[in-house]
């Protein structure tokens, strides 16, 4: 496994100053399109983490400026940082604390239809599975092991800073939102319709 990059984090207050001056860095929001539509920093571009990983070589041609990576809390942005750094893109930074910290610091957000973020969906599914199989295990011996498997999965997710359940949930229509193909993304980054 490749080590995390050592680039400094960018605190929300500093980014807000750069953003408000009109000379801020390019902002890439790596959350799902559904999360992005709910609330995002004005002027940011939605490049979902899976798309970024798959097309990072193509994206490099459109990211010559300083880039700040954004997600809900910073974990997915750190994964995006590692992927782009491995592809050779310099000048990468992660917004420390993500959109949550930006909002807490008084930063403006463009809001759309409210949706549950991916982390909340994972907590609902994981908790529901553990609770349901724990109760059902009283009547069907061995069923409680599903809850154990979910617990192991959550532990692995924490240790590796990835989440298989989150990746699966991000594929659902609820989370995908409008299509975010690489051509649409690169056209937006170039500033063409």
């Amino acid at each position: 496994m490749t080590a995390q990059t050592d680039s400094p984090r960018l605190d929300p207050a500093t980014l807000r100053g750069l953003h408000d001056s009109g000379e801020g860095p390019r902002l890439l929001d790596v959350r799902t399109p559904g999360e992005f539509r709910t609330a995002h920093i004005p002027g940011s571009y939605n490049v979902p983490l899976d798309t970024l990983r798959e097309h990072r070589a193509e994206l490099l041609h459109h990211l010559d400026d300083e880039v700040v990576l954004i997600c809900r809390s910073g974990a997915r942005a750190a994964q995006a940082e590692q992927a782009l750094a491995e592809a050779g893109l310099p000048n990468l930074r992660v917004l420390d604390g993500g959109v949550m910290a930006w909002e807490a610091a008084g930063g403006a957000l463009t809001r759309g239809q409210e949706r549950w973020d991916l982390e909340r969906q994972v907590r609902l599914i994981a908790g529901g599975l553990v609770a349901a199989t724990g109760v059902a295990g009283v009547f069907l011996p061995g069923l409680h092991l599903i809850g154990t498997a979910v617990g192991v999965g959550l532990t692995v997710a924490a240790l590796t800073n990835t989440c298989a359940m989150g990746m699966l949930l991000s594929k659902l229509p609820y989370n995908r939102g409008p299509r975010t193909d690489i051509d649409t993304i690169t056209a937006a980054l170039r500033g063409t319709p």
Side-chain angles (χ1 to χ4, degrees):
M1 190 164 130
T2 306
Q4 231 18 45
T5 60
D6 293 329
S7 67
R9 303 291 175 147
L10 188 62
D11 66 89
T14 302
L15 179 59
R16 188 171 172 196
L18 292 169
H19 188 264
D20 291 347
S21 75
E23 297 181 21
R26 189 175 300 246
L27 307 177
L28 297 186
D29 191 320
V30 300
R31 296 175 300 152
T32 66
E35 289 174 292
F36 182 80
R37 281 195 344 234
T38 296
H40 62 271
I41 298 172
S44 60
Y45 298 89
N46 186 217
V47 184
L49 182 57
D50 289 343
T51 303
L52 181 139
R53 283 181 177 144
E54 184 178 343
H55 298 284
R56 61 186 170 188
E58 294 169 65
L59 290 169
L60 289 180
H61 302 295
H62 306 285
L63 299 175
D64 54 356
D65 299 334
E66 183 180 355
V67 174
V68 175
L69 299 159
I70 302 164
C71 67
R72 179 180 180 274
S73 62
R76 284 179 278 176
Q79 293 172 34
E81 175 189 27
Q82 183 174 354
L84 289 173
E86 288 171 357
L89 186 66
N91 303 322
L92 293 169
R93 299 181 80 185
V94 171
L95 176 60
D96 196 21
V99 172
M100 293 184 341
W102 171 265
E103 184 176 25
L109 290 174
T110 300
R111 296 199 178 273
Q113 178 185 2
E114 187 66 33
R115 293 174 174 262
W116 280 20
D117 59 61
L118 206 52
E119 184 179 314
R120 185 176 181 190
Q121 293 173 51
V122 168
R123 289 192 311 255
L124 173 69
I125 299 299
L129 282 171
V130 170
T133 59
V135 171
V138 171
F139 305 104
L140 297 168
L143 197 58
H144 70 283
L145 293 175
I146 293 173
T148 302
V150 170
V152 168
L154 292 172
T155 302
V156 169
L159 293 173
T160 62
N161 202 24
T162 62
C163 182
M165 188 180 295
M167 287 186 262
L168 290 172
L169 288 172
S170 72
K171 307 287 186 212
L172 293 175
Y174 176 83
N175 291 314
R176 283 193 312 232
R179 187 176 164 102
T180 54
D181 62 84
I182 190 64
D183 294 332
T184 304
I185 292 168
T186 55
L189 291 171
R190 282 192 311 265
T192 58

